């Protein structure tokens, strides 16, 4: 490949190089920015985003018996991700969810850097930073780990093909780093397995390894098929974390999903031109585990998923010494991070540049016409209404591993405060 001629070329070249389409663009400091305001649809339109976060427990049903995992579900998930085709940059740019995927990627970047910073404030210079990327996929977060200057990474996923791709991308990063004085190198290990069935530490090269951070992005909800699976996944997230370490995740917001479902005309499905959710299980009321729906997201997901009843997740986490630190919807996390994350969001093309005087009668961008208050000639950064509705289905959450003592039976007693 020939040397890129300008910053813009460099940007494009690097993106073409990336294999998953979920790559960071964090490193391309020199890409030109355009002065623009951010105006997501939430600012002016009612997208149906939840305003209250209260769970009405009468709306949910505690499972009377343990629903055994249906063998087929995880196989469907694994083969879906294994068969997912790589799309090139040109194709991705054309996709109706191009900006939303970048926006989601930005949310992950902000979350990772927030918790890496918190861990580092309590470390001494030269201390290791060890991370488990549980359900790593094709390695969409590898550049984030490089940028976070971690020392060791463990990557695992149920889809073998994805793990192989992730490993190859890691090897590319290390090869590039070898030719650069400034690039950061870190060690890594990779293995394919089902995190809801297997005790991960037994697969680590060093099963006694202590981790600083466990990250599970857009995947934890697959475990809520049954209590046994969710319990296994939480134990995997918790048991190797050092006290003071964090478990961070992005998951669909069950509260928001139920709210939209209740408002839908047929009571079983809802969505728009980029996503669709159709329930397969009884939702009157939904069970704590096994509340299954088919999730379709344009061109990238078509899989069975499960609602995560958050108070139950919190209880499971406490069992393994994880204390809830934050639970924030994407809409709120975006607002919270806008000031310090603005430049990165632009570099990652996490918002679309929209000129109010060019949107005509397109209802996807009506909110911009309202927001600009007649100032129609200048650009605004935004997402289409459909993309915003899809991204606001999610929340970020973080749990901190607590210190413990041991009781006379040899069981850990966690100190939650
Ligand atoms: C939406 S992708 C997210 C990938 C990656 N974390 C990211 O953010 O780019 C969900 C991933 O979860 C993985 N996954 C689903 N169920 C799993 C399980 N039981 N054990 C391990 N991985 C699982 C899938 O194979 C897929 O790679």
């Amino acid at each position: 490949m020939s040397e890129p001629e300008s910053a813009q070329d460099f940007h494009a070249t690097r993106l073409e190089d990336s294999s998953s389409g979920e790559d960071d663009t964090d490193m391309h400091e020199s890409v030109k920015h355009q002065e623009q305001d951010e105006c997501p649809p939430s600012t002016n339109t009612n997208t149906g985003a939840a305003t209250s976060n209260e769970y009405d427990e009468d709306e949910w049903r505690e499972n009377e018996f343990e629903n055994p995992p249906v063998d087929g579900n995880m196989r469907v998930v694994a083969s879906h991700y294994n068969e997912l085709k790589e799309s090139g940059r040109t194709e991705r740019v054309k996709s109706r969810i191009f900006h939303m995927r970048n926006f989601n990627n930005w949310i992950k970047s902000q979350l990772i850097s927030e918790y890496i910073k918190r861990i580092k404030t309590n470390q001494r210079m030269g201390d290791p930073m060890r991370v488990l990327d549980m359900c790593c996929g094709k390695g969409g977060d590898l550049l984030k780990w490089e940028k976070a200057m971690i020392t060791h990474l463990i990557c695992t996923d149920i889809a073998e093909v994805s793990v192989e791709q992730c490993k190859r991308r890691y090897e590319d990063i290390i090869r590039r780093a070898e030719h650069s004085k400034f690039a950061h190198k870190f060690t890594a290990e990779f293995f394919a397995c089902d995190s809801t069935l297997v005790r991960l530490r037994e697969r680590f090269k060093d099963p006694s390894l202590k981790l600083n951070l466990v990250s599970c992005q857009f995947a934890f909800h697959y475990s809520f098929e049954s209590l046994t699976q969710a319990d296994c996944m939480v134990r995997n997230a918790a048991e190797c974390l050092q006290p003071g370490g964090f478990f961070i995740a992005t998951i669909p917001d069950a509260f928001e999903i139920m709210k939209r479902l209740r408002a839908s005309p047929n009571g079983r499905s809802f969505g728009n031109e980029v996503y669709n959710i159709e329930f397969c299980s009884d939702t009157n009321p939904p069970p704590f585990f096994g509340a299954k729906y088919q999730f379709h997201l344009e061109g990238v997901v078509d899989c069975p998923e499960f609602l995560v009843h958050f108070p139950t997740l919190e209880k499971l986490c406490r069992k393994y010494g994880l204390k809830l630190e934050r639970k924030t919807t994407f809409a709120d996390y975006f607002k919270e991070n806008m000031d310090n994350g603005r430049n990165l969001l632009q570099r990652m093309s996490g918002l679309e540049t929209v000129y109010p005087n060019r949107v005509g009668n397109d209802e996807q961008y009506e909110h911009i016409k309202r927001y600009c208050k007649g100032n129609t000639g200048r650009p605004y950064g935004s997402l289409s209404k459909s993309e915003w509705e899809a991204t606001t289905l999610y929340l970020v959450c973080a749990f901190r591993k607590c210190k413990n003592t041991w009781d006379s039976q040899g069981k850990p007693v966690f100190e939650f405060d």
Side-chain angles (χ1 to χ4, degrees), residues 124-136:
R124 282 171 306 196
M125 275 268 283
D127 277 354
M129 176 68 77
R130 303 187 188 107
V131 175
L132 166 63
D133 190 343
M134 189 161 64
C135 310
C136 60

Side-chain angles (χ1 to χ4, degrees), residues 333-351:
Y333 200 64
F334 164 65
K335 276 190 225 140
E336 195 183 315
N337 280 270
M338 226 15 257
D339 280 343
N340 68 15
R342 177 175 277 108
N343 289 345
L344 181 60
L345 183 61
Q346 278 211 11
R347 288 201 300 279
M348 293 175 83
S349 302
L351 295 177

Side-chain angles (χ1 to χ4, degrees), residues 292-310:
K292 180 173 165 180
Y293 57 88
Q294 187 71 18
F295 181 58
H296 170 85
L297 179 65
E298 161 135 335
V300 276
V301 188
D302 208 347
C303 261
E305 299 192 350
F306 301 90
L307 291 180
V308 176
H309 180 252
F310 205 88

Side-chain angles (χ1 to χ4, degrees), residues 25 31 71 86 90 112 123 183 190 198 203 240 293 339 364:
T25 49
V31 173
D71 184 32
E86 296 284 323
T90 326
I112 287 171
Q123 283 190 319
F190 303 83
V198 175
R203 306 283 299 274
C240 299
Y293 57 88
D339 280 343
Q364 289 289 326

